Amino acid sequence: MRLLHTSDWHLGRAFHRVNMLGAQAEFIGHLVTTVREHGVDAVVVSGDVYDRAVPPLAAVELFDDALHRLADLGVPTVMISGNHDSARRLGVGAGLIDRAGIHLRTEASACGTPVVLQDDFGDVAFYGLPYLEPALVKDEFGVDKAGHEAVLAAATDRVRADLATRARGTRSVVLAHAFVTGGEASESERDITVGGVAAVPAGVFEGADYAALGHLHGCQTITERVRYSGSPLPYSFSEADHRKSMWLVDLDADGAVTAERVDCPVPRPLARIRGTLEELLADPGLDRHGEAWVEATLTDTVRPADPMVRLTERFPHTLSLVFDPERAPDDPDVSYARRLAGRSDQEIAEDFVAHVRGAGPDVHEQGVLRDAFDAGRADEVVREVAR
């Protein structure tokens, strides 16, 4: 069976101030062409179909168009909801859409109920594990501690239990939206940390012939059987070095996996350039970025006049301007943002306590802070889903 694995479409999302809907529509057309030209037997979409719980109408219309085009091909499609989607909204009409060969899996309770497809060698069971927000699904899975590993392990236990009841030789594909240990994050994914932990081990997917992952925006291989497709388009300048693609996966009669990448259309290359304003305006080596979307980091010790105006004369598609003056790390003028770069909310809060009190929080207080951040993030998720 030949699968096309994609995820993280984020329909409705902009790239800085650039509307990406046209590029997203081009990607949908490319996906449909790939399915047709490469003899794909099933499409899997591993979450974050939309960029937010209540997407703009144009994004909903593009999704509707994608569903119709996939259904017209007669190639089954299995989709799950991600942490950016409203599972309830995405799942509306799932039973009816199912009849057209578009299988939406958005409910945690259905993790152990697969979509079963056939090829010349027998059955392939597709298990859809939507994004499992621990605070919302811990009771469903009967876990004491609301953590990503606990709920995902409980969900995959249901997968293995169901698979054990099926005919010998049944192959399995698991769709999941999670941060798996070994994956490399970018700046455009929403933080899903719970209890100070965001990642889960790849071993939770033990027994599945292929785990089609979503959430991380870079295409990557965790193991030969556990892969991220990444997002088809860039959504932050941290993805400047990404090669945007989908996985074309062949699952043989014994469940062995071979995979190759299919490149996605590039609306415009990304470039991150750094230096003083005069250096960036004069360096002939930067000529190649004339048509790129550009993020320019200026290192001038004194902020120059009209930097964006001057940069866009040479780089017309400059979208982001960052000021990072070259100073010694102990310089009191080093920016607050620079001092906080790369630090988690928990670490920032602990530093604040230490600054105010003269000593950092003890183990109990660290736990109180962690629980507070988890509760705040979970409350935000609940309010967003309820909108």
Side-chain angles (χ1 to χ4, degrees), residues 11 34 88 110 133 208 231 283 300 307 314 363:
L11 300 181
T34 300
R88 292 169 62 189
E133 171 57 47
S231 62
D283 185 355
D300 303 75
R314 184 179 186 192
V363 173

Side-chain angles (χ1 to χ4, degrees), residues 23-229:
Q24 291 170 339
E26 185 178 358
F27 161 70
I28 295 298
H30 170 69
L31 181 145
V32 170
T33 298
T34 300
V35 171
R36 185 172 55 247
E37 293 183 352
H38 288 267
V40 170
D41 299 304
V43 176
V44 295
V45 185
S46 299
D48 282 354
V49 174
Y50 291 123
D51 187 56
R52 56 183 185 266
V54 184
L57 179 59
V60 177
E61 290 173 340
L62 180 55
F63 179 56
D64 182 64
D65 178 63
L67 294 185
H68 278 85
R69 295 173 73 178
L70 288 168
D72 287 345
L73 291 174
V75 175
T77 299
V78 185
M79 293 183 170
I80 60 172
S81 50
N83 62 301
H84 279 251
D85 299 309
S86 164
R88 292 169 62 189
R89 281 186 170 81
L90 189 63
V92 169
L96 186 61
I97 296 171
D98 198 78
R99 301 178 188 178
I102 308 293
H103 308 284
L104 294 171
R105 293 295 181 264
T106 63
E107 296 181 6
S109 59
C111 286
T113 304
V115 176
V116 181
L117 305 177
Q118 290 81 33
D119 63 9
D120 292 340
F121 305 107
D123 290 346
V124 181
F126 290 77
Y127 296 90
L129 279 55
Y131 172 66
L132 302 173
E133 171 57 47
L136 301 182
V137 302
K138 65 183 182 67
D139 292 339
E140 166 66 32
F141 292 108
V143 298
D144 296 328
K145 187 175 180 180
H148 288 291
E149 182 174 356
V151 297
L152 194 55
T156 51
D157 282 345
R158 292 188 184 182
V159 169
R160 284 183 284 269
D162 180 83
L163 194 57
T165 68
R166 299 193 173 272
R168 183 180 179 86
T170 298
R171 291 151 291 160
S172 59
V173 175
V174 174
L175 288 72
H177 196 87
F179 189 165
V180 173
T181 304
E184 183 177 345
S186 63
E187 295 172 2
S188 53
E189 299 106 2
R190 182 180 294 172
D191 182 27
I192 59 171
T193 300
V194 173
V197 179
V200 299
V204 299
F205 301 107
E206 185 68 33
D209 291 304
Y210 185 70
L213 302 181
H215 180 57
L216 299 185
H217 289 183
C219 182
Q220 46 201 300
T221 300
I222 305 301
T223 72
E224 287 304 304
R225 296 185 182 276
V226 180
R227 299 172 187 261
Y228 282 99
S229 67

Side-chain angles (χ1 to χ4, degrees), residues 219-220 229 242-248 259-263:
C219 182
Q220 46 201 300
S229 67
H242 286 189
R243 173 187 163 196
K244 295 301 184 180
S245 59
M246 302 176 284
W247 284 112
L248 196 62
E260 64 175 294
R261 293 173 72 174
V262 178
D263 290 330

Side-chain angles (χ1 to χ4, degrees), residues 18 38 47 66-67 147 153 165 191 205 212 215 233 251 302 309 357 383:
V18 176
H38 288 267
L67 294 185
T165 68
D191 182 27
F205 301 107
H215 180 57
L233 293 166
L251 201 61
V302 177
V309 172
R357 196 171 64 183
R383 284 188 285 107

